[in-house]
Amino acid sequence: MTKGFDIHRVINHIKRDVVLVKSTIGTTLLVSAGLLFMLCVLAQLWDKKLDSDEFMGAFSLIYFISGSVLSFSFFREAHHAKANSLYFTLPISSFERISAVWLATAVLHTFVFSIMGILVGCMSIFFGSLFFGADFTLSALFSMGYWQAVAVYLTIQPVSLFGALTFKSNRIGKTLLFIVLTVLGFALFNIMTYGLLNYGYDVFDGGPLRNQAMEKTESDLSILGKSLFVIISGPILLIVTYFKLVEREV
Amino acid sequence: MDFDNSKPIYLQIVDFFYENILVRRWQDEERIPSVREVAVMVEVNPNTAIRAFNHLQELEVIYNKRGIGYFVSKDGYAKVLDIKRNEFKEQTLPDVFKQMRLLDVTFEEVKNLYDQHEKE
Amino acid sequence: MISIKSLYYHYPKSSMVLNDISANFERGNIYGLFGKNGEGKSTLLKIMSGLLYAKSGEYTVDHKSGLHRNARTLQRLFLVPEDFELSAVTIATYQKINGRFYPNFSKKQFYDLIAEFKLAPQHHIARLSFGQKKKVLIAFGIATNTPILLMDEPTNGLDIPSKSQFRKIMASIADENKCIIISTHQVRDLHSLINHILVLDEAKVVFDASLAKVSTEFWFGKPKSTEDSIIYTEAGFGGKSILPRGNKEETEVDLELLFSAVLTQNTVINTILKTNDHD
């Protein structure tokens, strides 16, 4: 009778969260729009035009930061000693809940932020051409860099959700610490693997062969390291967050 | 409704019905509040109210018209009067007699007091 | 509709809070869950609403496990916790964002109750007193129309007129489809509503019987002769007592007296209940 996954409950949960954090959403969007506008205008002051790298750079930076801030405002009730019992007795499964939160903070945020970005971009270009005769380069707003930014955001965003659910206080600080430790851990892992793999080749004694080998391994391992980090921070953290939600008792 | 501690609540609800019928607040053949309304009125579990209704139905003080509700019987008033008179004779009076003997109050004294009370 | 079998629970590094608990709860009843403070009443309600996970045992709602928070079980029950905080929105917004999770939620019923409690939809929850917030939550819980309603000390924080109002409302919503479980130590507030009682003591269920059964087996009052076999008596002058009923007239169950008796004379009482169980 009751389905395992009910999209209506997911939508209801998104609506609920949006209403509850609407002031955070409003402030974040407003501040983001203001910042983006300023950066775009500044970029035009220099060379009288906004090129796509400049726009995408500013856009991605603010998009990532605002997304993280937004993600950290979710799961607030889960930590509230008095509100959590009502939060966790809402009829929704943990899977539906994590889906709802992810859809809101990853997908919905991307959607809203993209529209906002284009609008603010347009406005800044109008502003630039109107006040100091900058080129009218609307094309700068649409580039392949956008998709790259979205891909990067979707990969790193679960870290914020994980931090938001895991840490009770100083959630942003602790999450940053968690990231630093993870990165350090991987660096250590890379160095150790490097040492282990090359131990027998006397790679530490200098000479051109050593340099070559070192460079090759370095590039190989850093690709391995990078992709491992991406896998860890992306889907896996989302799954970990899901299990944390399942196991949560209040 | 404030409940007496010793008497079962359903019987106290029955008394509440008797009183309403005796003072003619509820006339014969008149519709009375539903089980739910009574339960809310006296703040009890509806099961307790149902027990009171069943009890009164067995005594034929009230009857149920299916789908409409409960009504005071045609001779509801007479029945209640009968029940309460018996209760008075069988329960209240023996207690009074016992007290009279214990306190040495004579029947004449009681009679005088009664006459005086009626005059007022 | 609810079945609990051999449930165990303890908090980290603490002794057993629920030690081999078994009980059944059926529709059409208002259960009173009694026990001294810290005897696991709230814990049991939390396990039933998926907020805590039992260490072992079974818990089913309509024959399906409710042990781990799942949407199916949660849709069938509403918990009014003893202490809680509501989102800082207006009453109307609260209803809007939470009501739609419950398939049988009745907006009309909710706003009728809100009006009865002298509150209004545009009131901001953050500015209400705890008692008023409790009223909002009780109104909401009732309007969800879930078959199971769990209430942890619902009259705490309500003033005397509100307690009476609460009883009236409970009397108006209790029906054969609803299973209501109220945990309380304020026996007096609710004694006219409850028709089945469960007593938890030292992490065990020490008493579980309907009041109909209790009033068939026991007599409550001041015994007239000293020969009567008193099961339990209150200390002090003219203390009330519990006696086996025998052929005596039915009396109203004195829940406070029964509760004290169960805590001290539990074996005697349960033996009497059990030996007469077959009739």
Side-chain angles (χ1 to χ4, degrees), chain B residues 6 9 36 43 45 47 51, chain C residues 164 167 174 192-193 250 252:
Chain B
S6 57
I9 291 178
R36 176 80 53 192
E43 301 170 13
N45 190 306
N47 293 332
R51 220 179 144 195
Chain C
S164 154
R167 284 191 293 267
S192 61
L193 284 176
E250 182 180 338
E252 184 55 30

Side-chain angles (χ1 to χ4, degrees), chain C residues 25-194:
Chain C
F25 300 93
E26 300 302 334
R27 290 168 192 262
N29 291 313
I30 304 182
Y31 292 87
L33 187 58
F34 298 145
K36 287 179 287 191
N37 280 337
E39 290 296 346
K41 298 180 304 240
S42 300
T43 307
L44 183 59
L45 293 184
K46 279 185 172 180
I47 289 176
M48 292 170 80
S49 41
L51 293 174
L52 291 174
Y53 298 157
K55 300 299 170 192
S56 68
E58 266 179 51
Y59 160 51
T60 59
V61 174
D62 287 334
H63 312 293
K64 288 214 173 108
S65 177
L67 271 185
H68 295 90
R69 226 175 11 249
N70 61 64
R72 178 192 173 275
T73 310
L74 294 178
Q75 229 166 42
R76 283 169 166 71
L77 63 85
F78 191 87
L79 168 73
V80 178
E82 180 179 7
D83 202 5
F84 60 86
E85 192 50 74
L86 302 179
S87 315
V89 290
T90 62
I91 292 178
T93 308
Y94 187 84
Q95 173 269 315
K96 224 175 269 164
I97 61 174
N98 295 308
R100 45 187 169 220
F101 283 95
Y102 295 90
N104 298 319
F105 187 83
S106 160
K107 241 166 116 172
K108 184 186 177 300
Q109 200 179 5
F110 177 70
Y111 287 117
D112 284 350
L113 289 168
I114 286 296
E116 214 172 310
F117 280 134
K118 304 237 169 350
L119 294 164
Q122 70 276 12
H123 283 172
H124 203 282
I125 290 175
R127 284 191 281 274
L128 300 180
S129 71
F130 179 69
Q132 287 172 314
K133 284 180 192 170
K134 194 148 214 171
K135 288 173 181 174
V136 174
L137 192 61
I138 288 170
F140 184 84
I142 288 170
T144 60
N145 283 302
T146 53
I148 304 167
L149 193 53
L150 308 174
M151 303 180 132
D152 199 355
E153 303 284 358
T155 55
N156 262 13
L158 297 186
D159 54 23
I160 291 168
S162 303
K163 282 178 184 175
S164 154
Q165 212 172 18
F166 172 75
R167 284 191 293 267
K168 282 188 194 301
I169 288 167
M170 293 314 285
S172 75
I173 60 139
D175 65 29
E176 60 277 13
N177 293 315
K178 257 192 147 64
C179 172
I180 302 171
I181 305 174
I182 303 177
S183 139
T184 185
H185 63 268
Q186 290 174 316
V187 178
R188 217 178 269 276
D189 285 349
L190 300 165
H191 88 280
S192 61
L193 284 176
I194 287 162

Side-chain angles (χ1 to χ4, degrees), chain B residues 3 10 14 28 30 48 53 57-58 71 89 92 106 111:
Chain B
F3 297 111
Y10 88 94
V14 166
D28 290 353
E30 201 178 274
T48 312
F53 275 75
Q57 224 175 341
E58 272 166 37
F71 290 78
K89 286 185 214 157
T92 318
T106 65
K111 193 180 176 304

Side-chain angles (χ1 to χ4, degrees), chain A:
Chain A
M1 191 189 114
T2 319
K3 286 160 278 170
F5 186 85
D6 186 339
I7 192 71
H8 297 291
R9 289 200 287 260
V10 175
I11 294 167
N12 288 342
H13 201 274
I14 294 177
K15 287 184 188 163
R16 183 178 186 279
D17 272 339
V18 167
V19 170
L20 292 179
V21 298
K22 66 168 182 263
S23 61
T24 313
I25 296 178
T27 323
T28 315
L29 268 181
L30 218 66
V31 171
S32 305
L35 272 176
L36 187 61
F37 184 79
M38 267 165 54
L39 287 176
C40 288
V41 169
L42 279 178
Q44 293 174 79
L45 270 181
W46 194 251
D47 53 3
K48 302 291 178 213
K49 73 176 176 50
L50 180 69
D51 62 41
S52 61
D53 280 355
E54 288 168 343
F55 176 72
M56 278 334 293
F59 175 84
S60 332
L61 183 72
I62 300 170
Y63 165 48
F64 296 168
I65 294 176
S66 63
S68 306
V69 168
L70 188 69
S71 307
F72 277 108
S73 68
F74 279 64
F75 292 130
R76 222 173 253 162
E77 285 166 279
H79 297 292
H80 193 296
K82 288 181 181 176
N84 55 11
S85 46
L86 291 171
Y87 180 68
F88 282 112
T89 51
L90 272 181
I92 183 166
S93 70
S94 299
F95 186 62
E96 288 159 351
R97 177 169 269 143
I98 191 85
S99 307
V101 173
W102 183 76
L103 282 171
T105 53
V107 180
L108 209 60
H109 171 68
T110 300
F111 183 71
V112 172
F113 200 87
S114 302
I115 291 172
M116 192 275 285
I118 290 170
L119 286 177
V120 170
C122 290
M123 275 162 61
S124 74
I125 291 170
F126 278 123
F127 185 87
S129 61
L130 210 65
F131 288 93
F132 36 87
D135 288 351
F136 202 75
T137 49
L138 275 183
S139 61
L141 307 179
F142 308 94
S143 66
M144 284 310 285
Y146 171 75
W147 296 110
Q148 233 173 341
V150 170
V152 172
Y153 177 69
L154 293 185
T155 312
I156 57 165
Q157 188 266 346
V159 180
S160 317
L161 286 186
F162 169 79
L165 184 64
T166 308
F167 306 117
K168 204 169 179 167
S169 54
N170 302 324
R171 298 146 103 190
I172 297 180
K174 281 181 186 159
T175 309
L176 285 176
L177 188 69
F178 169 78
I179 294 171
V180 169
L181 288 179
T182 317
V183 171
L184 275 179
F186 272 102
L188 203 66
F189 171 78
N190 276 0
I191 292 168
M192 276 168 58
T193 332
Y194 173 80
L196 278 176
L197 289 178
N198 301 289
Y199 184 69
Y201 298 107
D202 282 340
V203 284
F204 294 107
D205 65 349
L209 187 67
R210 183 212 75 137
N211 281 341
Q212 221 180 355
M214 193 108 149
E215 271 161 30
K216 268 199 176 330
T217 344
E218 227 168 28
S219 63
D220 284 355
L221 278 176
S222 69
I223 289 169
L224 179 71
K226 256 190 219 159
S227 42
L228 260 177
F229 183 70
V230 164
I231 291 168
I232 286 287
S233 71
I236 287 188
L237 265 186
L238 206 55
I239 294 169
V240 170
T241 312
Y242 163 70
F243 280 111
K244 286 197 117 13
L245 203 54
V246 170
E247 284 164 14
R248 190 56 164 266
E249 292 180 68
V250 302

